[in-house]
Amino acid sequence: MNPATEGAALTMATVLSAITEVFTAAVGWVGTVSDTVVSNPLLLVGVVITFIGTGISLFSRLLKV
């Protein structure tokens, strides 16, 4: 009993198709989240503060090196 011959065959085309579906769904989710953040100013403030904090953290690490 060969597991490769049982059930659905795993080919490069099916793997690429699955990856494409996941990537398309992820892009859709990012679009939905970004629309929600842009439409609600309170969420936008939180996102901007997070980006500023990340930028400061990365810049301070760069100066320590």
Side-chain angles (χ1 to χ4, degrees):
M1 295 225 239
N2 188 356
T5 58
E6 294 177 9
L10 186 63
T11 63
M12 188 61 118
T14 57
V15 171
L16 288 176
S17 175
I19 291 172
T20 303
E21 288 178 21
V22 170
F23 183 75
T24 303
V27 168
W29 297 331
V30 168
T32 303
V33 169
S34 64
D35 287 342
T36 304
V37 168
V38 168
S39 67
N40 190 346
L42 188 60
L43 292 176
L44 186 59
V45 168
V47 170
V48 168
I49 289 173
T50 303
F51 279 136
I52 290 172
T54 303
I56 290 172
S57 172
L58 291 175
F59 189 69
S60 67
R61 286 183 186 182
L62 182 65
L63 290 178
K64 289 181 182 180
V65 173

